[in-house]
PDB file of all heavy atoms in Angstrom:
ATOM      1  N   LEU A   1      63.804 125.411 105.099  1.00 86.00           N
ATOM      2  CA  LEU A   1      63.352 125.344 106.511  1.00 86.00           C
ATOM      3  C   LEU A   1      64.314 126.093 107.409  1.00 86.00           C
ATOM      4  O   LEU A   1      63.862 126.773 108.352  1.00 86.00           O
ATOM      5  CB  LEU A   1      63.311 123.850 106.885  1.00 86.00           C
ATOM      6  CG  LEU A   1      62.851 123.526 108.307  1.00 86.00           C
ATOM      7  CD1 LEU A   1      61.364 123.948 108.453  1.00 86.00           C
ATOM      8  CD2 LEU A   1      62.999 122.059 108.582  1.00 86.00           C
ATOM      9  N   PRO A   2      65.634 126.022 107.218  1.00 86.00           N
ATOM     10  CA  PRO A   2      66.590 126.769 108.113  1.00 86.00           C
ATOM     11  C   PRO A   2      66.291 128.244 108.123  1.00 86.00           C
ATOM     12  O   PRO A   2      66.518 128.853 109.194  1.00 86.00           O
ATOM     13  CB  PRO A   2      67.961 126.456 107.452  1.00 86.00           C
ATOM     14  CG  PRO A   2      67.844 125.128 106.783  1.00 86.00           C
ATOM     15  CD  PRO A   2      66.436 125.179 106.240  1.00 86.00           C
ATOM     16  N   LEU A   3      65.819 128.855 107.003  1.00 85.00           N
ATOM     17  CA  LEU A   3      65.533 130.213 106.945  1.00 85.00           C
ATOM     18  C   LEU A   3      64.469 130.629 107.993  1.00 85.00           C
ATOM     19  O   LEU A   3      64.550 131.599 108.732  1.00 85.00           O
ATOM     20  CB  LEU A   3      65.061 130.628 105.553  1.00 85.00           C
ATOM     21  CG  LEU A   3      64.868 132.136 105.275  1.00 85.00           C
ATOM     22  CD1 LEU A   3      66.202 132.875 105.339  1.00 85.00           C
ATOM     23  CD2 LEU A   3      64.189 132.372 103.904  1.00 85.00           C
ATOM     24  N   LEU A   4      63.427 129.797 108.120  1.00 88.00           N
ATOM     25  CA  LEU A   4      62.364 130.051 109.069  1.00 88.00           C
ATOM     26  C   LEU A   4      62.815 129.795 110.516  1.00 88.00           C
ATOM     27  O   LEU A   4      62.415 130.596 111.398  1.00 88.00           O
ATOM     28  CB  LEU A   4      61.173 129.126 108.757  1.00 88.00           C
ATOM     29  CG  LEU A   4      60.412 129.379 107.377  1.00 88.00           C
ATOM     30  CD1 LEU A   4      59.346 128.375 107.175  1.00 88.00           C
ATOM     31  CD2 LEU A   4      59.874 130.769 107.360  1.00 88.00           C
ATOM     32  N   GLU A   5      63.610 128.785 110.668  1.00 90.00           N
ATOM     33  CA  GLU A   5      64.157 128.511 112.049  1.00 90.00           C
ATOM     34  C   GLU A   5      65.053 129.648 112.556  1.00 90.00           C
ATOM     35  O   GLU A   5      64.926 129.972 113.713  1.00 90.00           O
ATOM     36  CB  GLU A   5      64.910 127.162 112.046  1.00 90.00           C
ATOM     37  CG  GLU A   5      63.993 125.999 111.748  1.00 90.00           C
ATOM     38  CD  GLU A   5      64.703 124.696 111.390  1.00 90.00           C
ATOM     39  OE1 GLU A   5      65.890 124.780 110.998  1.00 90.00           O
ATOM     40  OE2 GLU A   5      64.108 123.657 111.542  1.00 90.00           O
ATOM     41  N   VAL A   6      65.894 130.168 111.674  1.00 88.00           N
ATOM     42  CA  VAL A   6      66.726 131.245 112.049  1.00 88.00           C
ATOM     43  C   VAL A   6      65.955 132.543 112.287  1.00 88.00           C
ATOM     44  O   VAL A   6      66.208 133.213 113.205  1.00 88.00           O
ATOM     45  CB  VAL A   6      67.867 131.505 110.933  1.00 88.00           C
ATOM     46  CG1 VAL A   6      68.594 132.812 111.191  1.00 88.00           C
ATOM     47  CG2 VAL A   6      68.798 130.322 110.828  1.00 88.00           C
ATOM     48  N   ALA A   7      64.951 132.708 111.434  1.00 86.00           N
ATOM     49  CA  ALA A   7      64.135 133.939 111.597  1.00 86.00           C
ATOM     50  C   ALA A   7      63.400 133.922 112.976  1.00 86.00           C
ATOM     51  O   ALA A   7      63.263 134.978 113.618  1.00 86.00           O
ATOM     52  CB  ALA A   7      63.081 134.005 110.454  1.00 86.00           C
ATOM     53  N   SER A   8      62.870 132.766 113.378  1.00 89.00           N
ATOM     54  CA  SER A   8      62.236 132.734 114.681  1.00 89.00           C
ATOM     55  C   SER A   8      63.237 133.029 115.798  1.00 89.00           C
ATOM     56  O   SER A   8      62.873 133.694 116.804  1.00 89.00           O
ATOM     57  CB  SER A   8      61.643 131.262 114.867  1.00 89.00           C
ATOM     58  OG  SER A   8      60.506 131.058 114.039  1.00 89.00           O
ATOM     59  N   GLY A   9      64.446 132.558 115.625  1.00 89.00           N
ATOM     60  CA  GLY A   9      65.467 132.870 116.629  1.00 89.00           C
ATOM     61  C   GLY A   9      65.768 134.321 116.713  1.00 89.00           C
ATOM     62  O   GLY A   9      66.102 134.852 117.812  1.00 89.00           O
ATOM     63  N   LEU A  10      65.700 134.990 115.603  1.00 86.00           N
ATOM     64  CA  LEU A  10      65.914 136.431 115.586  1.00 86.00           C
ATOM     65  C   LEU A  10      64.774 137.220 116.285  1.00 86.00           C
ATOM     66  O   LEU A  10      64.932 138.263 116.869  1.00 86.00           O
ATOM     67  CB  LEU A  10      66.064 136.918 114.188  1.00 86.00           C
ATOM     68  CG  LEU A  10      67.480 137.043 113.553  1.00 86.00           C
ATOM     69  CD1 LEU A  10      67.412 137.221 112.081  1.00 86.00           C
ATOM     70  CD2 LEU A  10      68.213 138.223 114.166  1.00 86.00           C
ATOM     71  N   ILE A  11      63.519 136.715 116.019  1.00 85.00           N
ATOM     72  CA  ILE A  11      62.364 137.471 116.446  1.00 85.00           C
ATOM     73  C   ILE A  11      62.006 137.261 117.876  1.00 85.00           C
ATOM     74  O   ILE A  11      61.570 138.243 118.606  1.00 85.00           O
ATOM     75  CB  ILE A  11      61.140 137.134 115.534  1.00 85.00           C
ATOM     76  CG1 ILE A  11      61.420 137.473 114.103  1.00 85.00           C
ATOM     77  CG2 ILE A  11      59.865 137.749 116.042  1.00 85.00           C
ATOM     78  CD1 ILE A  11      60.454 136.896 113.073  1.00 85.00           C
ATOM     79  N   PHE A  12      62.025 135.943 118.325  1.00 88.00           N
ATOM     80  CA  PHE A  12      61.518 135.595 119.662  1.00 88.00           C
ATOM     81  C   PHE A  12      62.666 135.308 120.708  1.00 88.00           C
ATOM     82  O   PHE A  12      63.800 135.111 120.322  1.00 88.00           O
ATOM     83  CB  PHE A  12      60.659 134.370 119.558  1.00 88.00           C
ATOM     84  CG  PHE A  12      59.560 134.519 118.478  1.00 88.00           C
ATOM     85  CD1 PHE A  12      59.644 133.793 117.358  1.00 88.00           C
ATOM     86  CD2 PHE A  12      58.438 135.365 118.744  1.00 88.00           C
ATOM     87  CE1 PHE A  12      58.649 133.924 116.412  1.00 88.00           C
ATOM     88  CE2 PHE A  12      57.397 135.521 117.803  1.00 88.00           C
ATOM     89  CZ  PHE A  12      57.536 134.796 116.595  1.00 88.00           C
ATOM     90  N   SER A  13      62.241 135.203 121.929  1.00 89.00           N
ATOM     91  CA  SER A  13      63.161 134.618 122.937  1.00 89.00           C
ATOM     92  C   SER A  13      63.342 133.177 122.663  1.00 89.00           C
ATOM     93  O   SER A  13      62.580 132.559 121.921  1.00 89.00           O
ATOM     94  CB  SER A  13      62.530 134.772 124.407  1.00 89.00           C
ATOM     95  OG  SER A  13      61.351 134.010 124.431  1.00 89.00           O
ATOM     96  N   LEU A  14      64.395 132.543 123.179  1.00 92.00           N
ATOM     97  CA  LEU A  14      64.766 131.237 122.831  1.00 92.00           C
ATOM     98  C   LEU A  14      63.621 130.203 123.100  1.00 92.00           C
ATOM     99  O   LEU A  14      63.274 129.433 122.132  1.00 92.00           O
ATOM    100  CB  LEU A  14      66.031 130.811 123.500  1.00 92.00           C
ATOM    101  CG  LEU A  14      66.592 129.406 123.133  1.00 92.00           C
ATOM    102  CD1 LEU A  14      66.860 129.358 121.594  1.00 92.00           C
ATOM    103  CD2 LEU A  14      67.857 129.082 123.878  1.00 92.00           C
ATOM    104  N   PRO A  15      62.983 130.199 124.249  1.00 93.00           N
ATOM    105  CA  PRO A  15      61.909 129.237 124.481  1.00 93.00           C
ATOM    106  C   PRO A  15      60.751 129.426 123.543  1.00 93.00           C
ATOM    107  O   PRO A  15      60.219 128.422 123.040  1.00 93.00           O
ATOM    108  CB  PRO A  15      61.532 129.522 125.945  1.00 93.00           C
ATOM    109  CG  PRO A  15      62.635 130.188 126.566  1.00 93.00           C
ATOM    110  CD  PRO A  15      63.300 131.042 125.457  1.00 93.00           C
ATOM    111  N   VAL A  16      60.378 130.668 123.283  1.00 93.00           N
ATOM    112  CA  VAL A  16      59.258 130.915 122.415  1.00 93.00           C
ATOM    113  C   VAL A  16      59.621 130.489 120.900  1.00 93.00           C
ATOM    114  O   VAL A  16      58.818 129.859 120.184  1.00 93.00           O
ATOM    115  CB  VAL A  16      58.812 132.367 122.449  1.00 93.00           C
ATOM    116  CG1 VAL A  16      57.791 132.697 121.362  1.00 93.00           C
ATOM    117  CG2 VAL A  16      58.288 132.789 123.772  1.00 93.00           C
ATOM    118  N   ALA A  17      60.801 130.824 120.534  1.00 93.00           N
ATOM    119  CA  ALA A  17      61.307 130.502 119.160  1.00 93.00           C
ATOM    120  C   ALA A  17      61.289 128.990 118.975  1.00 93.00           C
ATOM    121  O   ALA A  17      60.910 128.513 117.922  1.00 93.00           O
ATOM    122  CB  ALA A  17      62.674 131.071 118.929  1.00 93.00           C
ATOM    123  N   ILE A  18      61.791 128.247 119.955  1.00 95.00           N
ATOM    124  CA  ILE A  18      61.780 126.764 119.855  1.00 95.00           C
ATOM    125  C   ILE A  18      60.338 126.221 119.760  1.00 95.00           C
ATOM    126  O   ILE A  18      60.078 125.270 119.006  1.00 95.00           O
ATOM    127  CB  ILE A  18      62.549 126.136 121.033  1.00 95.00           C
ATOM    128  CG1 ILE A  18      64.080 126.426 120.900  1.00 95.00           C
ATOM    129  CG2 ILE A  18      62.310 124.607 121.100  1.00 95.00           C
ATOM    130  CD1 ILE A  18      64.900 125.957 122.014  1.00 95.00           C
ATOM    131  N   ALA A  19      59.451 126.820 120.586  1.00 95.00           N
ATOM    132  CA  ALA A  19      58.072 126.369 120.559  1.00 95.00           C
ATOM    133  C   ALA A  19      57.438 126.682 119.181  1.00 95.00           C
ATOM    134  O   ALA A  19      56.716 125.780 118.538  1.00 95.00           O
ATOM    135  CB  ALA A  19      57.288 127.043 121.646  1.00 95.00           C
ATOM    136  N   VAL A  20      57.668 127.893 118.617  1.00 94.00           N
ATOM    137  CA  VAL A  20      57.117 128.246 117.329  1.00 94.00           C
ATOM    138  C   VAL A  20      57.684 127.339 116.208  1.00 94.00           C
ATOM    139  O   VAL A  20      56.851 126.853 115.381  1.00 94.00           O
ATOM    140  CB  VAL A  20      57.391 129.750 117.027  1.00 94.00           C
ATOM    141  CG1 VAL A  20      57.035 130.071 115.507  1.00 94.00           C
ATOM    142  CG2 VAL A  20      56.610 130.663 117.925  1.00 94.00           C
ATOM    143  N   ASN A  21      58.963 127.076 116.302  1.00 95.00           N
ATOM    144  CA  ASN A  21      59.528 126.290 115.293  1.00 95.00           C
ATOM    145  C   ASN A  21      59.110 124.861 115.380  1.00 95.00           C
ATOM    146  O   ASN A  21      58.967 124.148 114.315  1.00 95.00           O
ATOM    147  CB  ASN A  21      61.122 126.313 115.347  1.00 95.00           C
ATOM    148  CG  ASN A  21      61.629 127.548 114.767  1.00 95.00           C
ATOM    149  OD1 ASN A  21      61.063 128.171 113.932  1.00 95.00           O
ATOM    150  ND2 ASN A  21      62.899 127.963 115.233  1.00 95.00           N
ATOM    151  N   SER A  22      58.889 124.375 116.565  1.00 96.00           N
ATOM    152  CA  SER A  22      58.309 123.014 116.763  1.00 96.00           C
ATOM    153  C   SER A  22      56.973 122.882 116.175  1.00 96.00           C
ATOM    154  O   SER A  22      56.667 121.830 115.460  1.00 96.00           O
ATOM    155  CB  SER A  22      58.261 122.640 118.253  1.00 96.00           C
ATOM    156  OG  SER A  22      59.601 122.667 118.827  1.00 96.00           O
ATOM    157  N   ILE A  23      56.084 123.868 116.345  1.00 95.00           N
ATOM    158  CA  ILE A  23      54.752 123.820 115.791  1.00 95.00           C
ATOM    159  C   ILE A  23      54.865 123.879 114.267  1.00 95.00           C
ATOM    160  O   ILE A  23      54.129 123.186 113.538  1.00 95.00           O
ATOM    161  CB  ILE A  23      53.917 124.964 116.318  1.00 95.00           C
ATOM    162  CG1 ILE A  23      53.657 124.815 117.818  1.00 95.00           C
ATOM    163  CG2 ILE A  23      52.607 125.112 115.543  1.00 95.00           C
ATOM    164  CD1 ILE A  23      53.033 125.999 118.463  1.00 95.00           C
ATOM    165  N   GLY A  24      55.754 124.748 113.815  1.00 94.00           N
ATOM    166  CA  GLY A  24      55.912 124.862 112.340  1.00 94.00           C
ATOM    167  C   GLY A  24      56.449 123.593 111.684  1.00 94.00           C
ATOM    168  O   GLY A  24      55.984 123.162 110.593  1.00 94.00           O
ATOM    169  N   ILE A  25      57.344 122.909 112.332  1.00 95.00           N
ATOM    170  CA  ILE A  25      57.847 121.613 111.820  1.00 95.00           C
ATOM    171  C   ILE A  25      56.688 120.564 111.753  1.00 95.00           C
ATOM    172  O   ILE A  25      56.607 119.792 110.852  1.00 95.00           O
ATOM    173  CB  ILE A  25      59.023 121.087 112.673  1.00 95.00           C
ATOM    174  CG1 ILE A  25      60.295 121.919 112.333  1.00 95.00           C
ATOM    175  CG2 ILE A  25      59.284 119.590 112.382  1.00 95.00           C
ATOM    176  CD1 ILE A  25      61.431 121.573 113.258  1.00 95.00           C
ATOM    177  N   MET A  26      55.803 120.577 112.785  1.00 94.00           N
ATOM    178  CA  MET A  26      54.667 119.661 112.767  1.00 94.00           C
ATOM    179  C   MET A  26      53.817 119.945 111.535  1.00 94.00           C
ATOM    180  O   MET A  26      53.245 118.998 110.954  1.00 94.00           O
ATOM    181  CB  MET A  26      53.958 119.772 114.072  1.00 94.00           C
ATOM    182  CG  MET A  26      54.618 119.320 115.308  1.00 94.00           C
ATOM    183  SD  MET A  26      55.149 117.575 115.227  1.00 94.00           S
ATOM    184  CE  MET A  26      53.511 116.790 115.311  1.00 94.00           C
ATOM    185  N   PHE A  27      53.580 121.232 111.207  1.00 92.00           N
ATOM    186  CA  PHE A  27      52.803 121.589 110.036  1.00 92.00           C
ATOM    187  C   PHE A  27      53.490 121.064 108.779  1.00 92.00           C
ATOM    188  O   PHE A  27      52.817 120.568 107.889  1.00 92.00           O
ATOM    189  CB  PHE A  27      52.692 123.145 109.875  1.00 92.00           C
ATOM    190  CG  PHE A  27      51.495 123.709 110.599  1.00 92.00           C
ATOM    191  CD1 PHE A  27      51.366 123.720 111.904  1.00 92.00           C
ATOM    192  CD2 PHE A  27      50.523 124.236 109.835  1.00 92.00           C
ATOM    193  CE1 PHE A  27      50.272 124.267 112.533  1.00 92.00           C
ATOM    194  CE2 PHE A  27      49.347 124.790 110.446  1.00 92.00           C
ATOM    195  CZ  PHE A  27      49.254 124.829 111.802  1.00 92.00           C
TER     196      PHE A  27
END
């Protein structure tokens, strides 16, 4: 899971990355 969370941080702005990771965690 940390690999995906870090990858989102690298790819997106912080608000978008947190939103994407939140949706991902729900999945």
Side-chain angles (χ1 to χ4, degrees):
L1 185 64
L3 186 67
L4 295 175
E5 292 168 339
V6 171
S8 287
L10 265 167
I11 296 167
F12 308 107
S13 65
L14 186 58
V16 173
I18 289 174
V20 169
N21 283 337
S22 296
I23 294 169
I25 286 172
M26 292 301 291
F27 268 68

